[in-house]
């Protein structure tokens, strides 16, 4: 009998969508929460309220259940490499097994000294939905917000910290601007928090048709955190960091700076720090983002954290 630790998340579901589950099936799935999400679906002529039921997976470190709080991490967009891999793996879909996810969670929990949980965005890592169609959307933002509530309830947390890379950083921006008042350390790494500006100004998105996202969704169906800053709650306990590389080709520095500048103008304190993005596009700042959350929770000052980021310290 195959154990849950041997579960693989097939690459084909990234493009076709992860099959739906019933509530009973979701309840029987390891580390999964059944949620109902509601959002405003903006049409051409009028708006309507839409709802969906989804089964969202999460992968906690071994000390997560007994912990008082945790760092929740959101992956960036998954883009498969065409013609590569097989039914079980693809170079564009890293750590696509239950075992790999939990191993990562335990590693980051040990490094940061706090429980750590990887969240499967809709359509990714076993969560139902279709990431190719609905990433960056108001629908995805609503699903993730509801999932965070459910995970908090299941594990007994009052407050949490959140980190996200790229599109996952966009979801961190969505959680921040949803009005939540339970966030301690918020870290956005190379994030799509000013989504429309990103599409216009990033080198890698110049092929995208005007008025649409990379998914083909029109602007009206996207969740652009820049437009929702007035919904950020007042919380003196919260600290917010953004990591960005001026050479980032996937998410332009100007779009990231626009978000932090606009937020600070509104009295929402965000520390934007220039980081060294990894990869050919200078885009991945996730490693430093994760460490930033741990350092924030440990009580390190903003200046100390900024120095660590700029030095790319482990």
């Amino acid at each position: 009998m195959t154990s849950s630790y041997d579960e693989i998340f097939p690459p084909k579901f990234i493009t076709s969508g992860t099959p739906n589950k019933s509530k009973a099936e979701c309840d029987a799935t390891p580390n999964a929460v059944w949620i109902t999400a509601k959002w405003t679906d903006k049409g051409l002529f009028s708006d309507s309220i839409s709802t969906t039921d989804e089964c969202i997976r999460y992968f906690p470190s071994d000390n997560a259940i007994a912990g008082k709080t945790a760092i929740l991490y959101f992956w960036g967009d998954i883009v498969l490499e065409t013609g590569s891999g097989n039914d079980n793996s693809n170079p564009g879909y890293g750590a696509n097994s239950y075992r790999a996810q939990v191993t990562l969670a335990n590693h980051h929990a040990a490094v940061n000294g706090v429980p750590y949980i990887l969240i499967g965005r809709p359509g990714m890592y076993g969560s139902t939905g279709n990431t190719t169609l609905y990433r960056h959307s108001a629908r995805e933002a609503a699903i993730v917000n509801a999932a965070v509530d459910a995970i908090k309830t299941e594990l007994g947390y009052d407050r949490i910290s959140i980190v996200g890379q790229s599109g996952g950083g966009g979801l961190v921006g969505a959680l921040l601007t949803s009005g939540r008042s339970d966030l301690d350390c918020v870290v956005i790494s190379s994030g799509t928090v000013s989504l429309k500006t990103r599409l216009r100004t990033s080198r890698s998105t110049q092929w995208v048709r005007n008025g649409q996202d990379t998914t083909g969704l029109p602007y009206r169906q996207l969740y652009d955190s820049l437009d929702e800053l007035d919904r950020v709650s007042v919380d003196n306990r919260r600290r917010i960091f953004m990591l960005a590389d001026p050479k980032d080709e996937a998410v332009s520095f100007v779009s990231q700076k626009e978000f932090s500048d606009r937020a600070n103008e509104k009295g929402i304190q965000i520390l934007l720090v220039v980081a060294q993005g990894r990869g050919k596009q200078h885009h991945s700042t996730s490693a430093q983002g994760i460490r930033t959350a741990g350092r924030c929770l440990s009580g390190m000052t903003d200046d100390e954290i900024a120095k660590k980021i700029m030095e790319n310290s482990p």
Side-chain angles (χ1 to χ4, degrees):
M1 182 176 178
T2 302
S3 72
S4 61
Y5 283 96
D6 297 318
E7 181 182 7
I8 297 293
F9 308 117
K12 65 181 180 181
F13 292 154
I14 293 298
T15 52
S16 66
T18 302
N20 292 333
K21 293 179 182 289
S22 67
K23 184 178 185 305
E25 290 171 326
C26 186
D27 290 343
T29 300
N31 298 117
V33 288
W34 175 263
I35 61 96
T36 298
K38 180 170 66 175
W39 70 96
T40 300
D41 200 352
K42 296 181 179 180
L44 279 173
F45 303 108
S46 63
D47 298 346
S48 59
I49 301 299
S50 295
T51 62
T52 185
D53 294 326
E54 302 290 351
C55 182
I56 301 299
R57 303 293 297 275
Y58 67 97
F59 306 93
S61 57
D62 293 342
N63 60 349
I65 293 177
K68 295 181 179 179
T69 188
I71 297 172
L72 275 58
Y73 179 79
F74 301 90
W75 290 91
D77 299 346
I78 299 297
V79 180
L80 301 180
E81 290 190 14
T82 305
S84 300
N86 52 45
D87 291 343
N88 290 329
S89 65
N90 183 281
Y93 194 8
N96 65 315
S97 72
Y98 189 102
R99 187 182 301 276
Q101 291 285 292
V102 172
T103 298
L104 275 175
N106 282 322
H107 166 75
H108 289 302
V111 170
N112 291 286
V114 65
Y116 186 92
I117 303 170
L118 293 142
I119 311 295
R121 291 169 57 184
M124 295 165 49
Y125 297 107
S127 294
T128 57
N130 192 321
T131 184
T132 299
L133 294 180
Y134 297 120
R135 65 178 183 262
H136 311 159
S137 68
R139 175 181 183 144
E140 184 188 40
I143 291 169
V144 167
N145 198 32
V148 169
D149 284 340
I151 292 166
K152 274 186 59 189
T153 298
E154 189 154 297
L155 297 180
Y157 300 143
D158 291 325
R159 293 175 69 85
I160 54 171
S161 295
I162 52 177
V163 186
Q165 162 68 22
S166 192
L171 283 174
V172 169
L175 290 167
L176 173 66
T177 58
S178 69
R180 302 190 71 96
S181 57
D182 58 354
L183 304 176
D184 283 326
C185 299
V186 176
V187 185
I188 299 167
S189 299
S190 308
T192 57
V193 284
S194 185
L195 196 52
K196 295 187 289 292
T197 300
R198 176 255 175 151
L199 291 165
R200 294 194 302 268
T201 61
S202 299
R203 181 174 177 180
S204 68
T205 56
Q206 293 308 294
W207 60 272
V208 180
R209 185 175 178 179
N210 188 39
Q212 292 184 347
D213 187 35
T214 54
T215 59
L217 287 177
Y219 281 177
R220 67 177 184 276
Q221 292 184 17
L222 303 181
Y223 190 99
D224 195 331
S225 299
L226 183 71
D227 298 333
E228 308 296 337
L229 281 168
D230 288 337
R231 300 176 60 199
V232 176
S233 66
V234 176
D235 188 346
N236 293 328
R237 296 170 61 183
R238 181 188 61 220
R239 300 168 69 189
I240 310 170
F241 301 86
M242 290 183 65
L243 285 69
D245 189 329
K247 295 180 289 186
D248 193 332
E249 297 180 6
V251 180
S252 68
F253 184 80
V254 68
S255 69
Q256 298 175 68
K257 189 174 185 298
E258 178 183 39
F259 183 81
S260 65
D261 286 349
R262 190 80 60 83
N264 282 298
E265 288 170 3
K266 292 177 175 290
I268 305 162
Q269 293 186 351
I270 295 181
L271 179 63
L272 175 66
V273 185
V274 171
Q276 298 177 39
R278 294 184 302 170
K280 292 180 180 179
Q281 294 184 314
H282 306 282
H283 178 53
S284 178
T285 57
S286 60
Q288 281 298 320
I290 294 165
R291 289 296 290 121
T292 296
R295 288 163 175 157
C296 170
L297 285 170
S298 74
M300 193 175 285
T301 68
D302 285 4
D303 287 344
E304 290 170 333
I305 289 174
K307 183 179 179 182
K308 291 287 188 181
I309 294 170
M310 289 186 288
E311 292 175 347
N312 202 23
S313 299

